[in-house]
Amino acid sequence: MKKLLFLILFVAGTIYAQPPINQLVTDITVCEYPYDELATFDLTTNNSNILGSLNPLNYNFNFFNSYNDANTSINAISNPTSFINSINNQQIFIRVEEVLNPN
């Protein structure tokens, strides 16, 4: 019975395993003049830092304004390469999904 239980736990752990991505990313900053608290950012600039040595073709990135939206995968930022912030020091949440296993 122990062998069977171990096999079931191993398979379940493999199915729901998180990809080994970097959890901390470098902040993106822009210096602008004249200062109006709004700027255009390319949110995808950290994608390679997040994946490290993983193949970028195997992963999809989506960007969100809130943790809840990222967690439920709703209301993704429509144009992450030309994102205009709404407040200074805005926090953005990234959802990384494996292409072959989006769960």
Side-chain angles (χ1 to χ4, degrees):
M1 184 65 182
K2 287 183 182 179
K3 289 182 182 178
L4 180 60
L5 181 59
F6 175 75
L7 179 61
I8 292 170
L9 291 174
F10 177 76
V11 171
T14 303
I15 292 171
Y16 297 108
Q18 297 289 328
I21 61 172
N22 297 323
Q23 299 293 318
L24 299 175
V25 254
T26 307
D27 289 344
I28 303 171
T29 54
V30 173
C31 296
E32 65 168 342
Y33 181 82
Y35 178 71
D36 63 0
E37 294 189 9
L38 300 176
T40 302
F41 294 88
D42 181 357
L43 302 177
T44 65
T45 58
N46 274 324
N47 288 5
S48 60
N49 294 337
I50 293 168
L51 289 180
S53 62
L54 298 173
N55 184 348
L57 298 176
N58 294 336
Y59 297 91
N60 288 327
F61 287 81
N62 288 298
F63 301 85
F64 301 87
N65 286 307
S66 76
Y67 174 81
N68 191 42
D69 285 353
N71 195 34
T72 56
S73 194
I74 60 170
N75 301 321
I77 294 171
S78 59
N79 191 0
T81 57
S82 297
F83 174 73
I84 300 174
N85 67 314
S86 58
I87 58 171
N88 196 13
N89 292 327
Q90 185 169 359
Q91 188 173 23
I92 300 296
F93 298 86
I94 306 168
R95 182 181 178 106
V96 179
E97 295 178 332
E98 194 172 10
V99 173
L100 297 177
N101 184 14
N103 295 322

